[in-house]
Amino acid sequence: MNSHLVMDRINVLENLDLDQEYDDGFDMTPAELNDPITQSIANERIVLCGDEDNGERAYEGTSYIWVAPDYDGQLSPGQRELYGLLKSFQEAAVYTATTIGKLAEAQGLQNPLACCTRLENLQSLGAIHGLKI
């Protein structure tokens, strides 16, 4: 008897760690927010591209993100805020360079890990493409 196990991963809000999209989702002291690892994540470069197939990557170690302009899936409030911000950057210029830390600040987040979680969840849902964290 030949049976195959087929597994589908369904990326819906219920399957994501939504509590980690907020500062209080990480139990970190102010000193831990300034440690080298957290600051390294905050300094991760992101370039928003106006084209899904953006060709050559000029900067190694940089995420070249394309935002799906017509994404209509369900998003958490934090994801919706970040998606709107990224989409406006993408629509405003051919390329926009920023960092995870700057994106976190723009959303009123103190912890760049919360912004990183939002980015990862947006990619998992298919709202953005190209994140390499």
Side-chain angles (χ1 to χ4, degrees), residues 39-48 82 85-86 89 96-107 112 115 119:
Q39 288 308 302
S40 173
I41 291 169
N43 293 327
E44 287 281 333
R45 293 178 301 209
I46 292 175
V47 175
L48 289 135
L82 180 55
L85 183 64
L86 295 173
F89 287 158
T96 302
T98 190
T99 64
I100 290 177
K102 293 293 182 185
L103 286 175
E105 286 177 26
Q107 298 171 82
C115 183
L119 284 166

Side-chain angles (χ1 to χ4, degrees), residues 10-78:
I10 300 173
N11 292 329
V12 294
L13 291 180
E14 294 80 23
N15 294 345
L16 304 175
D17 282 331
L18 298 181
D19 61 326
Q20 292 191 339
E21 291 186 356
Y22 298 93
D23 289 331
D24 59 2
F26 294 88
D27 189 22
M28 297 177 75
T29 66
E32 290 172 320
L33 286 173
N34 292 317
D35 76 9
I37 294 171
T38 305
Q39 288 308 302
S40 173
I41 291 169
N43 293 327
E44 287 281 333
R45 293 178 301 209
I46 292 175
V47 175
L48 289 135
C49 310
D51 185 0
E52 185 174 13
D53 182 26
N54 48 43
E56 297 268 331
R57 308 295 198 260
Y59 300 105
E60 191 174 314
T62 299
S63 291
Y64 285 80
I65 294 177
W66 178 76
V67 180
D70 298 321
Y71 181 78
D72 63 353
Q74 185 181 12
L75 298 174
S76 72

